[in-house]
Amino acid sequence: MSTLSITRRELLAATVATGAVALLPALAFAADGDTSVRPFTVDISQADIDDLRQRIAHTRWPDVETVIDRSQGPQLADVRELVNYWGNDYDWRRAEAQLNALPQFMTTIDGVDVHFIHVRSRHPNALPLVISHGWPGSVFEQIKLIGPLNDPTAFGGRAEHAFDVVIPSLPGFGFSSQPKEAGWGLERIGQMFDVLMKRVGYTTYVAQGGDWGAGVVQAMAREAPQGLLGIHTNLPAAIPDEVGPALGGGPLPAGITAEEKASVLSLGNFLKQGNLTYVAMMTARPQGVSYGHADSPAGLAGWLLVHPGFEHWSYGKDASQSPTRDEVLDDFTLYWLTNSAASSARLYWENRGRSLTSASAQKTSEIALPVAITVFPDEVYQPPRTWAERAFSNLIYFHEADMGGHFAAWEYPELFAAELRAAFEPLRSAS
């Protein structure tokens, strides 16, 4: 190990131990030695697939809930039907083939092997774009975005709206390796993604993220690495500090508009129903909540389905709905096969005390780069434009979509791609 590596590791350990996470962006990335970009193919053993099915077959189910809705969590009948399908009829090889039909790669950055999909457009002057998923998402969330972004002419768009698309798996998620040390907060992941974009040959690019990906791209915008032109987010950190007490049932701040009041009341009611209690659990004890999820496929599925992004999902009963039952199980199976229940949950612990939706917690006042925002009606909250303008001094795009929720890219990929085309249009001349 080089002297630089030892010094950096010691500094990182001290930074994490003292809680001085603000210093993390200033840490230089160690030279890992191997900066190669290696082709990657998914190849899961049949033994692992058989083990999954056997565990499902031996599931011990809890008793039925005592209510007729989801207020106690995902309902037994729905989860049982989904998991039984998972164990008997679901085909991972189809999902594996879908991934292997795309250009996949692995590269080592800061000691972590980063898995990513990289699809270059056939159209000239395509705008490079890195897209970050969150929890409980994965690269499967964005696969259907690739076509509309990469080849817009096939979807009714124009060639000059094309993107080169890079979709990494977050550290500790999917086929990216699991960090062996603490300190993997938003800033460090943002630095990793900047290194990745430059390693694959881009000098300028844009970034998009929702859920934890929103936190990652906002961290990137705060740091403003050379070449990053701007960001788009569908979960912006736009809630002003004075709104906080009202979310807990306190008085509304003076001078609030009708639209702002509606956002406060909607989000306050959402929180009152306990919809984000899973956040508190993974933030406080990610290891503790993960033992059962690493051992039981049914336990893992039940936990992932707690996420409010699945509130309007029909468990595959509506065949026309996106994502389909198989597509959701692609995502769940990826978590299972890579044993990433604990490593993905640690992202909450790493960023404890830093609400993804709070402007001050995410230090949006430090962001000078262009920011674009799309608000979806079924997302966790709908920030009004007034909040977005206060949070981001260089807001270049703000649009309220007619449909879509937390997993909007999964649900309506062509709509989501159209949002990105419109959002980044002003930045193309600088690329």
Side-chain angles (χ1 to χ4, degrees), residues 58-260:
H58 292 92
T59 297
R60 186 173 74 163
W61 294 99
D63 64 324
V64 68
E65 61 278 353
T66 57
V67 293
I68 60 172
D69 56 24
R70 285 173 51 102
S71 60
Q72 293 182 352
Q75 293 174 294
L76 177 62
D78 289 331
V79 178
R80 189 164 191 162
E81 182 179 353
L82 178 69
V83 171
N84 285 340
Y85 175 83
W86 193 9
N88 294 299
D89 300 302
Y90 170 77
D91 181 12
W92 166 256
R93 296 303 183 196
R94 174 199 50 78
E96 188 174 83
Q98 185 180 27
L99 286 175
N100 288 336
L102 297 166
Q104 296 179 93
F105 303 92
M106 196 78 77
T107 191
T108 304
I109 301 174
D110 198 19
V112 170
D113 289 336
V114 185
H115 164 259
F116 64 101
I117 297 167
H118 183 194
V119 185
R120 296 183 186 271
S121 176
R122 64 185 178 88
H123 299 293
N125 303 315
L127 180 61
L129 166 66
V130 59
I131 307 177
S132 180
H133 66 81
W135 187 96
S138 68
V139 295
F140 278 115
E141 239 186 294
Q142 288 101 12
I143 282 179
K144 290 188 287 187
L145 275 179
I146 295 173
L149 291 173
N150 199 243
D151 190 8
T153 58
F155 294 84
R158 303 202 307 269
E160 56 267 31
H161 289 157
F163 292 87
D164 283 354
V165 181
V166 177
I167 308 175
S169 296
L170 287 166
F173 287 70
F175 296 110
S176 288
S177 65
Q178 300 167 346
K180 302 304 180 186
E181 60 188 8
W184 279 94
L186 299 175
E187 292 82 4
R188 193 171 177 186
I189 297 172
Q191 289 181 338
M192 166 183 277
F193 286 179
D194 178 63
V195 171
L196 173 62
M197 292 301 282
K198 288 164 181 171
R199 185 169 292 180
V200 297
Y202 298 119
T203 56
T204 58
Y205 65 96
V206 293
Q208 196 287 323
D211 196 86
W212 280 114
V216 171
V217 300
Q218 286 167 169
M220 295 173 74
R222 280 196 304 275
E223 196 163 336
Q226 185 175 4
L228 177 60
L229 302 177
I231 67 169
H232 173 277
T233 175
N234 49 303
L235 190 68
I239 299 179
D241 284 347
E242 67 267 22
V243 166
L247 295 176
L252 291 167
I256 194 169
T257 68
E259 186 181 17
E260 291 169 343

